Amino acid sequence: MKSQHPHLPAGDRHLPISTYRLQLNSEFTFEQARQHLGYWHNLGITDLFLSPILQAVPGSMHGYDVVDHKQISKDLGGREQFEKLATAAHQAGLGIVVDVVPNHMAVPTPVWINRPMWSVLKRGKDSPYAHWFDIDIDQPILMPILGKRIGQVLADQELKLEQLVIPTEPERGKQWILRYYDHYFPVAAGTEALPLEVLVERQHYRLAHWKVADEELNYRRFFDVDTLAALRVEDRDVFDSTHALLLELFDQGYIDAFRVDHPDGLADPAGYFSWLSEATGGAWIAGEKILEDAERLPSDWQIAGTTGYDTSWRLTALQIDPRASLPLGTLMQTLTADSPSSYPQMQREAKGQIIDTSLAAELRRIGQLVWNICQNDFRLRDYTFRYLVDCLRELIIEMPCYRVYVTSGQPAPALSREIVEAAGKRALCQLEPEHTDSMAVIIALVLGDEIGSAALQEIDRDRKEFLVRFQQVCGAVMAKGVEDTTFYRWTHLLCLNEVGSNPQAFGISSDSLHIFARDIQANWPATMTTNSTHDTKRCEDVRMRLAVISQYPTLWAEIVSDLRAVTQPYCPNDLDGRSENMLWQTLIGTWDDKGPIPPSRLRNYLVKAIREQKTWTTWTTPNLARENELLDYAEKILDDPHVVEIVTRWHNETDPATRYTIVANKALQLTMPGVADVYQGSEITQTSLVDPDNRRPVDFTALAQALSRLDQEGLDPAGDYAIDALKLNLTAAILRLRRRRPECFVSATASYQALALSTGYAVAFARGTENEGAQIVTLARRLAGVLARYQGDFRPEHTVVLPEGTWKDICSNEVFSGGLQSLEELLARRGARILERVE
């Protein structure tokens, strides 16, 4: 049965209205999750959204390092416990959404944990899994795990030939293996009697020094992670094999919908989604597609939409005052020497660094493909390898998005052509004029245009492979060069350095948000909206505290100046300016009513952040002495009473605006078009930073007790309440409203209407249906701190036009009439108000 909208699930398939993301691991299993179903139902959600449930590397804290597609994770409780959780959830009225990881499998230690990979390493082309992995199977598979070069390893007798029973293959008895400390590798049949040096050379893999990986790795990875090897799910057999168990559980009714991890890494995302949709009879599927700024989701993808980063960054930008760009840019330049206009060049340099280091093997691989194409076509034979690689490098750097969607044998979409050709022009500006002809060849190949000998167009496998691999490399460079490098260097305002965000878009208007929301409602009504995820660099509340900095730029400059002055006696002499600016913002973003985060959490975050900068210290060559100076400095800051006094001054001035902003942000996200996702624990305020910090355990028992108290006692509208109580109360009220009125939020007939306001310090819209009109109204503050500085609060002339009818506040039960209403009354002492139409 077809749905009424191309991006809604089929009519008989489950449609989530709201999801609650759970991070499962050995410390929070299926059985433990089952104990809290009553809380999540009471909170008002309609679906549990589970992190990956297939067998991952033992001890995995996230589940994205899958090693066995035929088993439900033993660490999580196995299939029996999963089925019990799903059955109990369904009995409680909750659906089950499961995270799918189609792009890669783990290369674990020891490798035998991954039986398909072990088989390929042992048997090469003869392995039944040889076609599973995106590997150049004609060459030995590079295993860059040695601490020194192979010659020295052999000379030092660190490589041992042994026999043992492989735990994943006990039926085979003892097998010959090569052991290098805790690494174990299979020995090809018939080679065990050879001299060790000869034996090593006769394997289907090549043991190598770890530094060789960047230049010579011959299997595609998840970005630049050597321990995650890419799968060829574009092969139907691989798709069927790796999805069989999940689809079986779907067919049996245990799973209701799917979220798909990193589709941009796939050879053919549209084809993959088509298969998954067909296999599930049109289930609700969300794809973790990172859209850059104004980029749009390909309309031919058979999914409900994205996982919500496109909504998230806009809601953050909505609370940023554009006028603060210059003063905060001046402060950044003082501390770091980075000017507000230097972002594009910083991004270029970071992407170039990634291409030249951790992704050099990928560039060489696609460069070799282009070289082969030219060498095998006499019309293209005179293009040199160096010029072609130069052009490839610069073109990838200039690509503004994860990938363009060009499929072999089909005309390139007009938008894809525009993006690639514009990137080519920018790339040529970085090259000598002699590169122009070579760039034209590259552009033609990227767009799938005819070039060279037309007779070769249909049979040239290299061209088809290049078309896919170029797009995959672009995504990896965007992720590692921008999100995992540039975003740790650029310190203008850290809340803008988020997945799918554009740090150069320093704030957006309410009108921009409305345009985006109307487009989503029309084209992707069941997409996901989110505020926090397991991948966000800062949780929603940290981002909102940082957004408030833009609302008090002058005060912030004074605060930073005072902080620098009082900490000068113990400040390192060579303190990196970017690290310092990041430290001050992180201090404020994570310092809540209970004080600062523990030193251990701050230290762990700073280690990750400064190494991801890849300037003065890195993961592979850490500058431990200088790192420890920074970490000790940060820890002393947390204990300094002068710092506490300065931070208290900041909080006293900005706390009302911060509270309003946190509440407004939550209200907007939960009522925007789409399926609203709540990350575990974010129904109250959090101080979480990038993973693994944001995967910390959540006390669901305490949350359940807090919600129960709110339900029993309620909130006095005139009272002063802790921000956690305000956020939890509002979140539960909206989620329950969504469950009660799903047609107004996620349906083919749901509507979105911007409401007229006489001020830019608020945003208002109505949700309803095409037939019944407006049924729910969202009113939320915007730039609360700026309003407080300039006017104190709303004035009588600040109004909103409510739709006709009678409206009741879903939290306080206050009643208002339609027509012109005063924001001074509606938003007094509130960050947001949600109204429901009553007869």
Side-chain angles (χ1 to χ4, degrees):
M1 177 179 178
K2 293 290 185 182
S3 70
Q4 300 177 29
H5 192 285
H7 297 298
L8 283 171
D12 59 345
R13 291 310 186 195
H14 177 71
L15 176 60
I17 306 302
S18 59
T19 58
Y20 192 96
R21 164 73 182 203
L22 292 180
Q23 185 58 59
L24 301 168
N25 50 56
S26 60
E27 298 175 2
F28 189 71
T29 63
F30 298 134
E31 183 178 6
Q32 289 167 305
R34 188 155 48 91
Q35 298 170 10
H36 301 288
L37 292 173
Y39 164 64
W40 295 313
H41 180 267
N42 188 34
L43 186 63
I45 65 154
T46 66
D47 289 74
L48 290 182
F49 166 21
L50 307 182
S51 59
I53 64 171
L54 295 180
Q55 183 61 55
V57 173
S60 172
M61 298 303 289
H62 50 76
Y64 290 95
D65 42 3
V66 176
V67 295
D68 190 347
H69 294 91
K70 296 180 180 180
Q71 283 197 69
I72 300 300
S73 171
K74 294 179 182 177
D75 288 352
L76 305 184
R79 179 166 181 165
E80 180 181 358
Q81 289 300 325
F82 169 72
E83 291 180 357
K84 284 184 178 180
L85 169 62
T87 299
H90 289 144
Q91 291 172 347
L94 301 173
I96 296 290
V97 181
V98 166
D99 205 339
V100 187
V101 188
N103 184 67
H104 55 266
M105 288 185 78
V107 183
T109 301
V111 182
W112 66 55
I113 296 172
N114 183 337
R115 291 189 68 180
M117 176 61 75
W118 182 263
S119 173
V120 174
L121 293 180
K122 184 170 186 175
R123 299 173 178 84
K125 290 182 180 180
D126 295 331
S127 167
Y129 301 100
H131 63 300
W132 271 43
F133 298 97
D134 198 347
I135 289 172
D136 185 354
I137 201 68
D138 292 324
Q139 300 178 21
I141 303 164
L142 191 71
M143 292 282 106
I145 53 87
L146 303 180
K148 60 188 76 167
R149 290 175 177 81
I150 184 64
Q152 191 62 50
V153 168
L154 289 169
D156 293 343
Q157 298 182 349
E158 293 174 334
L159 198 58
K160 309 293 184 182
L161 179 64
E162 300 176 354
Q163 277 190 305
L164 54 78
V165 175
I166 305 303
T168 53
E169 298 181 347
E171 71 282 359
R172 296 180 181 274
K174 284 190 175 183
Q175 300 183 42
W176 288 103
I177 58 97
L178 279 173
R179 181 172 64 84
Y180 176 74
Y181 295 100
D182 57 347
H183 293 276
Y184 298 81
F185 295 93
V187 173
T191 65
E192 62 274 5
L194 297 172
L196 190 58
E197 289 190 13
V198 179
L199 182 151
V200 168
E201 283 296 292
R202 296 287 179 87
Q203 303 310 308
H204 298 289
Y205 53 87
R206 171 191 160 198
L207 299 180
H209 189 218
W210 64 269
K211 290 186 177 181
V212 173
D214 289 348
E215 295 189 25
E216 299 185 38
L217 204 67
N218 55 357
Y219 62 85
R220 186 170 62 83
R221 302 165 290 176
F222 175 70
F223 301 147
D224 62 353
V225 183
D226 295 345
T227 55
L228 295 175
L231 292 169
R232 294 184 182 271
V233 291
E234 65 272 21
D235 183 313
R236 187 62 198 235
D237 173 65
V238 179
F239 174 90
D240 291 340
S241 298
T242 56
H243 289 68
L245 178 55
L246 293 177
L247 292 175
E248 177 186 332
L249 292 167
F250 177 86
D251 291 338
Q252 292 176 354
Y254 294 109
I255 296 174
D256 300 292
F258 293 103
R259 178 261 195 195
V260 175
D261 183 62
H262 185 49
D264 275 336
L266 304 176
D268 180 13
Y272 170 84
F273 285 127
S274 177
W275 284 351
L276 186 58
S277 180
E278 177 187 12
T280 59
W284 183 86
I285 302 168
E288 191 205 17
K289 167 61 186 166
I290 310 302
L291 295 170
E292 298 298 322
D293 203 348
E295 184 185 3
R296 297 172 66 88
L297 194 63
S299 60
D300 63 341
W301 284 12
Q302 294 183 36
I303 59 175
T306 73
T307 51
Y309 290 117
D310 42 345
T311 298
S312 179
W313 87 258
R314 286 174 171 84
L315 293 180
T316 297
L318 183 72
Q319 300 294 352
I320 293 173
D321 185 2
R323 293 168 293 188
S325 177
L326 183 58
L328 293 183
T330 300
L331 177 60
M332 175 179 67
Q333 191 161 13
T334 300
L335 296 178
T336 70
D338 297 325
S339 73
S341 62
S342 63
Y343 180 83
Q345 182 59 30
M346 181 183 292
Q347 181 175 284
R348 274 192 51 79
E349 292 172 356
K351 291 173 79 172
Q353 181 177 342
I354 291 297
I355 292 173
D356 295 339
T357 54
S358 62
L359 293 178
E362 278 78 358
L363 178 65
R364 177 174 282 105
R365 190 174 185 181
I366 61 173
Q368 190 63 52
L369 278 171
V370 178
W371 172 247
N372 291 343
I373 291 168
C374 291
Q375 288 299 297
N376 293 329
D377 187 335
F378 74 95
R379 295 179 183 274
L380 302 176
R381 199 167 291 163
D382 289 341
Y383 292 97
T384 68
F385 181 80
R386 181 168 63 86
Y387 272 38
L388 291 170
V389 171
D390 287 346
C391 290
L392 273 173
R393 180 183 185 277
E394 295 302 327
L395 180 62
I396 292 170
I397 289 173
E398 292 298 339
M399 289 296 291
C401 51
Y402 266 65
R403 66 184 286 170
V404 291
Y405 300 95
V406 181
T407 303
S408 179
Q410 299 179 18
L415 181 57
S416 297
R417 183 172 295 277
E418 179 182 332
I419 291 172
V420 172
E421 290 178 347
K425 290 179 181 178
R426 293 192 299 272
L428 281 173
C429 294
Q430 309 298 323
L431 297 165
E432 298 296 327
E434 297 81 37
H435 286 79
T436 302
D437 291 344
S438 297
M439 182 65 76
V441 172
I442 299 294
I443 296 293
L445 292 172
V446 169
L447 294 174
D449 293 342
E450 288 192 4
I451 188 171
S453 301
L456 296 176
Q457 294 300 314
E458 297 300 322
I459 62 173
D460 194 342
R461 294 182 180 178
D462 282 348
R463 297 184 190 218
K464 295 178 182 179
E465 183 177 356
F466 170 78
L467 196 59
V468 169
R469 295 202 183 283
F470 175 83
Q471 297 181 76
Q472 291 171 328
V473 171
C474 285
V477 172
M478 281 293 296
K480 301 306 297 182
V482 180
E483 292 175 14
D484 289 347
T485 303
T486 310
F487 282 3
Y488 286 99
R489 296 179 182 180
W490 185 250
T491 59
H492 197 185
L493 187 60
L494 294 183
C495 57
L496 285 174
N497 299 3
E498 195 51 79
V499 179
S501 179
N502 177 11
Q504 296 182 93
F506 202 91
I508 65 168
S509 66
S510 298
D511 288 343
S512 295
L513 182 69
H514 291 317
I515 292 170
F516 169 76
R518 284 195 292 265
D519 179 71
I520 290 295
Q521 181 57 56
N523 297 299
W524 303 93
T527 189
M528 185 179 278
T529 70
T530 192
N531 251 336
S532 300
T533 77
H534 58 289
D535 280 333
T536 43
K537 292 183 171 19
R538 296 160 191 87
C539 74
E540 59 202 63
D541 303 315
V542 172
R543 295 201 307 275
M544 291 306 102
R545 295 185 193 105
L546 292 174
V548 170
I549 288 176
S550 76
Q551 301 170 24
Y552 294 88
T554 302
L555 175 61
W556 176 246
E558 294 173 358
I559 292 292
V560 171
S561 177
D562 291 346
L563 287 170
R564 300 186 79 200
V566 300
T567 61
Q568 184 58 40
Y570 51 87
C571 178
N573 292 328
D574 58 351
L575 179 63
D576 174 67
R578 291 171 179 168
S579 302
E580 182 187 4
N581 200 19
M582 179 174 60
L583 172 59
W584 299 131
Q585 292 184 48
T586 302
L587 188 74
I588 290 298
T590 57
W591 196 308
D592 61 10
D593 294 342
K594 297 180 282 292
I597 60 175
S600 59
R601 284 181 55 201
L602 182 59
R603 292 179 73 101
N604 290 339
Y605 167 73
L606 287 174
V607 168
K608 180 165 185 173
I610 59 181
R611 290 183 181 177
E612 293 287 14
Q613 283 181 1
K614 305 173 187 69
T615 50
W616 56 274
T617 188
T618 67
W619 291 107
T620 54
T621 55
N623 185 335
L624 296 179
R626 195 174 173 190
E627 283 184 3
N628 287 328
E629 288 181 350
L630 170 63
L631 300 178
D632 292 343
Y633 175 56
E635 189 162 347
K636 289 178 182 177
I637 286 173
L638 298 181
D639 290 333
D640 192 328
H642 299 295
V643 170
V644 174
E645 180 181 343
I646 295 169
V647 173
T648 300
R649 175 157 52 95
W650 168 262
H651 280 177
N652 289 340
E653 182 74 22
T654 65
D655 187 61
T658 300
R659 289 162 61 91
Y660 288 151
T661 303
I662 287 173
V663 170
N665 181 57
K666 196 66 175 178
L668 291 169
Q669 184 248 324
L670 294 180
T671 54
M672 287 279 287
V675 177
D677 179 48
V678 177
Y679 186 65
Q680 58 177 28
S682 66
E683 58 268 48
I684 63 172
T685 59
Q686 299 289 329
T687 58
S688 296
L689 297 167
V690 72
D691 69 285
D693 191 67
N694 57 21
R695 304 180 198 265
R696 301 188 324 281
V698 175
D699 189 343
F700 294 112
T701 300
L703 288 173
Q705 292 171 348
L707 182 58
S708 179
R709 285 194 299 271
L710 285 172
D711 287 341
Q712 293 172 11
E713 302 170 6
L715 286 178
D716 179 357
D720 289 321
Y721 292 93
I723 183 62
D724 282 354
L726 292 172
K727 190 178 183 187
L728 178 59
N729 188 63
L730 181 69
T731 299
I734 297 176
L735 291 174
R736 292 165 181 175
L737 173 66
R738 292 179 67 94
R739 186 169 61 192
R740 190 171 70 248
R741 304 291 300 274
E743 74 284 352
C744 296
F745 292 99
V746 189
S747 72
T749 61
S751 61
Y752 179 95
Q753 174 191 353
L755 301 182
L757 290 160
S758 64
T759 175
Y761 292 116
V763 60
F765 54 80
R767 304 302 312 278
T769 66
E770 295 172 357
N771 296 329
E772 297 180 340
Q775 299 295 309
I776 293 130
V777 166
T778 296
L779 296 168
R781 288 182 182 255
R782 175 173 176 263
L783 304 180
V786 181
L787 176 63
R789 284 170 40 228
Y790 286 153
Q791 300 178 8
D793 208 342
F794 291 114
R795 294 178 178 175
E797 63 269 22
H798 292 152
T799 58
V800 61
V801 179
L802 297 180
E804 293 183 3
T806 303
W807 299 89
K808 185 172 72 172
D809 185 296
I810 65 171
C811 291
S812 69
N813 293 324
E814 296 171 87
V815 177
F816 302 88
S817 299
L820 194 67
Q821 292 289 344
S822 167
L823 289 175
E824 189 177 33
E825 177 183 0
L826 284 169
L827 290 179
R829 297 166 57 84
R830 291 174 177 270
R833 190 189 285 272
I834 309 298
L835 305 174
E836 182 180 10
R837 187 175 187 143
V838 293
E839 297 298 332

